[in-house]
Amino acid sequence: EENIVWKTAIHGRGWSSPVVADTQIWLTTATPDGKDLFAICVDGETGKILLDKKLFHIPKPQFAHRFNSYASPSPQIDGDFVYISFGSAGTACVNRKTNKILWQRTDFICDHFRGAGSSPFVYKNLVILTMDGADHQFLVALDKMSGKTVWRTDRSTDFGDLDPNTGKPKRGGDFRKSYATPVVAKVDGREQLISPGA
């Protein structure tokens, strides 16, 4: 009640961290059942909601643990564009000046098993996504203006989690998941993408 300049209620449920550019605050939210996924833009000076846009409708969402949400990855702002990901459910690029969707992708197969958590990472002309699920584990780089795949690298890890009797991953692949967001580090003058995995 004290020292509050403004307070704005946000519908739905989401664990994403807000990101800020100029006076815009961008965040994500989702309906509790995960069927509708939204991008929200709030005026940082007044708290007024400038945009409340449904980006994706998912008829049959994956399971998300109650400690997670269907809107946990944080958006990433780069210039006039904001990159918003909900894991394999969908990734989109929105022009934050016009609020128009530049591109969307919904074709990545990845069972997040407990819900997605890795945020998109912008590097030069790429948007890099981490898809570390119970079934598939890979990094994919998209052209940030077209959304087209530039490269994909599968994880090459022996998880050591195969059941000796069935030959299948224990706990349905639960030990294979990761929620990390990559970073770039310069090592001996060469830039390297550092991406922790399970």
Side-chain angles (χ1 to χ4, degrees), residues 6 8 10 17-28 39-52 75-84 93-100:
W6 55 260
T8 302
I10 303 296
S17 297
V19 292
V20 180
D22 304 322
T23 60
Q24 293 182 345
I25 302 172
W26 286 83
L27 60 148
T28 62
I40 293 180
C41 180
V42 176
D43 186 306
E45 295 180 344
T46 66
K48 179 183 178 181
I49 294 178
L50 303 175
L51 178 72
D52 186 351
Q76 173 81 284
I77 293 174
D78 184 60
D80 290 344
F81 301 97
V82 57
Y83 299 92
I84 298 165
C93 173
V94 177
N95 185 316
R96 65 183 191 88
K97 301 295 186 183
T98 66
N99 293 333
K100 291 183 178 179

Side-chain angles (χ1 to χ4, degrees), residues 10-14 28-40 52 54 56-59 61-62 64 68-71 86:
I10 303 296
H11 67 86
R13 187 169 182 263
T28 62
T29 190
T31 53
D33 62 5
K35 290 187 176 181
D36 293 316
L37 309 173
F38 299 84
I40 293 180
D52 186 351
K54 180 163 65 173
F56 301 100
H57 174 74
I58 312 299
Q62 293 182 14
N68 202 350
S69 77
Y70 286 98
F86 300 92

